[in-house]
Amino acid sequence: LPMRRVNSHAPLRTVEKLRVLVTGADGFVGQHLISHLLTAGHDITGAVLSDSPRRGTLSDSERAGVVWCGADMRDSDRLQSLTREARPECVFHLAGVSSRAEAQTAYAEALAVNSQGTFQLLWSLADAGLADARVIIAGSAEVYGMGGQGRIAETTALHPSSAYGVSKAAQDVVARATAEVLELDVRVARLFPLVGPGQRDAFVLPSFCRRAFRIQRGGVDPTMHVGNLDVYRDFTDVRDGIMAMARLADLDQVRHRVYNVCCGEPTSVRQLLQWVFDIAGIAPEIVMDEELIRADEPEQIVGDPSRIEEETGWQAELDLRRTVDDTFHWMTQFRPT
């Protein structure tokens, strides 16, 4: 993760050791990012909701290489002390309510954590004299709403259609306004759906993998209940996603700018499920469950990655079939504690 590279299209090389703060560090994306940052030799402070980080894809040695700190994004006093103690030169802000279902049932909390928490983190950095720190915020393609038939560019108007999308759109607005007023160096990665090992069952691919594994083992109903499989999304491997965020940290003085992180290609949910079945070696009956179908769900949402590709040289590289394979095998071997 080079932060001072002149040619943004050159191969990634570690050029200096940095103090890096990662919020939401024990989450799905955070753990993959930390693994990369540790390999690059950086000093990592991981902010988590409690002092004991959740287990996931990090090894014991990787967990031991991080300074873990408890921090609630709604606690401005704690954020001020955290930034003054860690004094980061680079911040990856991943903390927040991260799913549609959670935001739908706890809308006020989603708004408070995703937007107000972002403001308080940025204000804390400025108050600690850390205005030069590069801040990469994990945004979401949910801000675009229903999408459409074409590829969505960053210039598309924000039109969120879910409580989660509204909370992330508010985060975008807060990040831009705060960065301008406080003269902070902020970049927003609008993440289209990331998938891969370590993701919670609340999301579609790990849910398929977990249920397929149970069917594979036997002793359960060999029927797979599903929602609408004929929707297309721009899925990207999380390991490509964290490299995109690392590349955004490389950019020199872009100040506030947003970047789609996506492949630019649609994949159907039906295709994901078929890959899972092929890997598991099963052929269960598929039953459409009305309760699992979202009302007014758009058929296709695909992003345009041209901006990040042109400005950083990043492209998604990992084959999605491999991603499904890795996710399934992680599911079969890992037991949460």
Side-chain angles (χ1 to χ4, degrees):
L1 173 59
M3 300 291 184
R4 306 290 185 265
R5 188 156 43 81
V6 175
N7 179 3
S8 65
H9 294 273
L12 285 175
R13 299 185 302 272
T14 301
V15 296
E16 62 179 299
K17 186 175 185 177
L18 297 174
R19 296 185 304 275
V20 182
L21 170 64
V22 181
T23 71
D26 61 346
F28 167 52
V29 178
Q31 296 201 38
H32 283 282
L33 177 62
I34 283 176
S35 182
H36 169 70
L37 295 173
L38 288 171
T39 300
H42 300 298
D43 290 329
I44 313 301
T45 297
V48 295
L49 195 55
S50 67
D51 290 319
S52 178
R54 292 172 292 185
R55 289 194 172 274
T57 53
L58 288 176
S59 66
D60 289 342
S61 61
E62 288 174 323
R63 286 163 59 86
V66 177
V67 177
W68 299 99
C69 298
D72 188 321
M73 290 297 108
R74 296 165 294 187
D75 186 340
S76 59
D77 291 339
R78 178 67 187 112
L79 289 178
Q80 289 180 56
S81 62
L82 173 62
T83 52
R84 290 182 181 278
E85 292 164 8
R87 301 204 63 78
E89 297 165 278
C90 180
V91 179
F92 291 92
H93 179 39
L94 313 178
V97 175
S98 60
S99 81
R100 288 174 60 114
E102 291 171 357
Q104 194 67 39
T105 58
Y107 183 38
E109 180 179 352
L111 274 175
V113 175
N114 292 348
S115 60
Q116 183 182 346
T118 297
F119 166 76
Q120 291 179 160
L121 175 64
L122 296 178
W123 188 90
S124 296
L125 290 168
D127 187 59
L130 300 169
D132 289 336
R134 297 185 178 189
V135 183
I136 298 83
I137 295 175
S140 171
E142 289 271 348
V143 301
Y144 296 123
M146 300 297 283
Q149 293 303 309
R151 301 206 305 180
I152 303 169
E154 293 87 350
T155 53
T156 302
L158 305 189
H159 198 268
S161 57
S162 67
Y164 175 64
V166 169
S167 74
K168 297 301 281 187
Q171 180 187 55
D172 265 23
V173 173
V174 164
R176 173 181 291 277
T178 307
E180 290 177 353
V181 171
L182 299 180
E183 299 184 345
L184 300 175
D185 189 347
V186 174
R187 305 102 194 265
V188 176
R190 284 188 184 150
L191 304 173
F192 283 69
L194 297 182
V195 289
Q199 194 170 32
R200 292 181 293 136
D201 287 12
F203 295 88
V204 62
L205 178 56
S207 175
F208 286 164
C209 289
R210 179 71 75 188
R211 287 183 284 162
F213 178 50
R214 289 172 178 165
I215 292 172
Q216 182 192 62
R217 289 189 302 174
V220 298
D221 181 2
T223 303
M224 181 74 78
H225 292 261
V226 300
N228 186 1
L229 297 178
D230 296 315
V231 293
Y232 292 77
R233 295 293 180 264
D234 196 336
F235 295 105
T236 300
D237 191 294
V238 65
R239 293 161 292 191
D240 276 328
I242 61 100
M243 289 305 299
M245 287 187 281
R247 289 290 185 100
L248 293 182
D250 288 345
L251 293 177
D252 187 35
Q253 295 295 317
V254 295
R255 292 298 169 179
H256 189 278
R257 193 158 167 80
V258 298
Y259 297 86
N260 286 340
V261 175
C262 56
C263 295
E265 299 292 338
T267 300
S268 71
V269 174
R270 185 178 297 278
Q271 178 65 79
L272 289 184
L273 182 60
Q274 187 58 56
W275 280 331
V276 171
F277 287 168
D278 292 344
I279 293 164
I282 60 175
E285 180 186 0
I286 298 175
V287 177
M288 293 288 290
D289 188 334
E290 294 293 331
E291 293 185 0
L292 298 176
I293 298 176
R294 295 174 182 169
D296 302 322
E297 184 170 37
E299 179 182 349
Q300 177 170 298
I301 299 178
V302 180
D304 182 352
S306 298
R307 178 180 288 181
I308 193 169
E309 290 177 353
E310 292 169 3
E311 295 189 22
T312 73
W314 174 86
Q315 284 187 321
E317 298 179 354
L318 295 175
D319 181 74
L320 199 56
R321 172 63 171 75
R322 172 192 162 181
T323 304
V324 175
D325 192 296
D326 290 348
T327 303
F328 180 81
H329 287 99
W330 183 86
M331 276 284 188
T332 65
Q333 298 167 16
F334 177 72
R335 295 291 180 273
T337 58

